[in-house]
Amino acid sequence: MHFRVFDCWRLTAAMLIMAYHFLFFAPYGVEAGTQFLHRLLPLLDMFFMISGFLIASRYATRIASVADYANFMRRRIARLYPLHFLTTMFFAAIALVALVVGSAHHPWARDLAALPLHLLALHGLGTTDELALNYPSWSVSAEFFAYALFPIILLAFRWKGLAGLFALLAVWVGGLEYASSRGVFPSGHWTGADTMGAYRAFADFIAGSAIAVVVGRRMISITAHWPGIVLSVAAVAAMILQAPPYPTLLLLALALTATALAETARPDSTAMLAPLMPVTRVSFGIYLLHPVMEFVFLTVIWQRVLEPLGIIDFYVYWTLPMVATVAVAMLSDRFVERRFGGWIAGPRRPEGKPARMASA
């Protein structure tokens, strides 16, 4: 089952996050634009919910032994790690150059100190005080953390089914609230965590797994797409209006549930989105590569050459790094990630037919 709407949502979120980060280089309109886009950052929680939904839907019935789990982890590492490694080493190389030339403005000492943690994908667990190197890659660390704890989700589900997942979510969120009250998270509240974003992501991952159960069992009868559209608009409105975190997260979860129910009921209803799939496939690449394009096109070309000359308006120019990011992400997916990921994954082990997470 291919969830085309989810893929489009992830692409939209990746593009908005890229636009948010690129906007900091604008000579005017920065404050208004970044403040508005910053309100949409809960879209990161949507990323993790969708990830939990897809992983649970695909692997819940396929992991029954340590060997199955090892194969699962190897395949997830093969999917995410090659691009994470390459982008990390790109910024590590820049840090080394900054060290050699004695740059007083580049945080080379912080970046190089954080390099081992990035290579081990541990930098989203609170092991660093601030973002370093490829700053959005904390979400890669968060994903690996969620994959590592996926057996806990399976145990909760096999123990008490959907009620077990809700119990696990309640316990986990309760722990996050307690940690927030004790000032553990630098952001103040766990819903805004990044250097400690792995713990935030696992809550979303559990929620996505619970959605997979609801959809797999078809506990609610939704066959039309309009409920999902209405709920997603409501979720975005809640972000823009800066509603408290929990109503926003609930609206996101309900939007995902309604959308998945509609698409599983009528898979052909999203056939019109099929031409977009080659681009939506590289949402992860856009998300992880855009800081590289930011450095090349904005830090170097824009700030050092074009802005001083004043020959082009920023909001005309910024389409170039955006288009370049998408193009490079598509090339990376085809020629780099699939090739190196295939080496890591190795020969495909025989698997049973994918089943929905529908029975306890």
Side-chain angles (χ1 to χ4, degrees):
M1 178 69 199
H2 193 91
F3 294 91
R4 297 187 181 98
V5 176
F6 284 178
D7 284 348
C8 290
W9 285 2
R10 291 197 290 189
L11 175 64
T12 301
M15 296 296 290
L16 287 171
I17 292 168
M18 175 171 61
Y20 169 69
H21 290 142
F22 286 2
L23 196 56
F24 282 96
F25 290 83
Y28 61 93
V30 178
E31 186 174 350
T34 55
Q35 284 182 357
F36 175 78
L37 290 175
H38 186 268
R39 298 178 183 184
L40 302 179
L41 288 185
L43 290 173
L44 285 169
D45 294 286
M46 181 193 72
F47 265 119
F48 296 124
M49 287 185 192
I50 291 177
S51 181
F53 172 86
L54 295 175
I55 292 297
S57 297
R58 181 171 183 181
Y59 288 101
T61 59
R62 290 177 170 177
I63 299 178
S65 66
V66 173
D68 292 336
Y69 175 65
N71 182 59
F72 161 74
M73 287 298 296
R74 185 168 60 250
R75 296 192 67 80
R76 301 320 302 160
I77 291 171
R79 174 67 183 94
L80 300 185
Y81 195 78
L83 190 56
H84 167 61
F85 175 81
L86 291 173
T87 56
T88 296
M89 295 310 296
F90 173 85
F91 285 104
I94 292 173
L96 281 174
V97 172
L99 169 62
V100 171
V101 301
S103 173
H105 302 290
H106 193 282
W108 54 264
R110 180 203 67 188
D111 284 0
L112 294 177
L115 180 59
L117 295 169
H118 279 247
L119 293 177
L120 293 172
L122 298 175
H123 55 295
L125 282 72
T127 55
T128 60
D129 294 331
E130 54 186 329
L131 299 178
L133 295 163
N134 191 17
Y135 55 86
S137 71
W138 68 264
S139 61
V140 175
S141 176
E143 284 279 346
F144 283 135
F145 179 74
Y147 299 154
L149 296 189
F150 186 51
I152 296 176
I153 292 177
L154 296 180
L155 288 173
F157 176 67
R158 292 167 186 174
W159 170 54
K160 289 291 183 179
L162 184 60
L165 292 181
F166 282 135
L168 176 61
L169 180 60
V171 170
W172 191 266
V173 171
L176 294 176
E177 284 293 338
Y178 176 76
S180 297
S181 70
R182 303 294 294 179
V184 171
F185 294 98
S187 61
H189 195 256
W190 67 269
T191 52
D194 45 31
T195 55
M196 301 184 70
Y199 310 106
R200 162 193 180 182
F202 190 58
D204 297 324
F205 207 85
I206 300 169
S209 299
I211 293 170
V213 177
V214 173
V215 173
R217 293 178 177 177
R218 298 210 62 82
M219 298 174 68
I220 307 170
S221 180
I222 296 178
T223 59
H225 283 281
W226 68 262
I229 294 172
V230 170
L231 287 165
S232 61
V233 170
V236 172
M239 297 177 208
I240 294 173
L241 296 174
Q242 296 183 289
Y246 285 108
T248 301
L249 293 176
L250 178 60
L251 284 169
L252 281 173
L254 292 175
L256 295 179
T257 303
T259 299
L261 284 166
E263 192 157 10
T264 52
R266 298 187 301 121
D268 292 339
S269 65
T270 59
M272 67 182 71
L273 300 176
L276 296 175
M277 294 304 100
V279 181
T280 62
R281 173 183 168 82
V282 300
S283 299
F284 171 70
I286 292 170
Y287 177 75
L288 212 56
L289 281 165
H290 82 264
V292 175
M293 298 296 105
E294 175 187 302
F295 179 82
V296 173
F297 285 94
L298 297 174
T299 301
V300 177
I301 298 177
W302 172 256
Q303 287 190 330
R304 294 179 179 271
V305 180
L306 296 180
E307 187 176 24
L309 292 175
I311 59 177
I312 187 172
D313 183 80
F314 175 82
Y315 292 102
V316 175
Y317 176 74
W318 83 330
T319 59
L320 178 59
M322 288 189 181
V323 172
T325 301
V326 175
V328 172
M330 295 183 72
L331 291 172
S332 172
D333 173 65
R334 181 173 181 180
F335 297 108
V336 178
E337 296 165 62
R338 295 188 198 183
R339 180 172 300 177
F340 288 97
W343 292 348
I344 296 172
R348 182 183 290 271
R349 293 182 59 215
E351 291 181 328
K353 183 179 179 180
R356 296 173 182 171
M357 195 171 180
S359 58

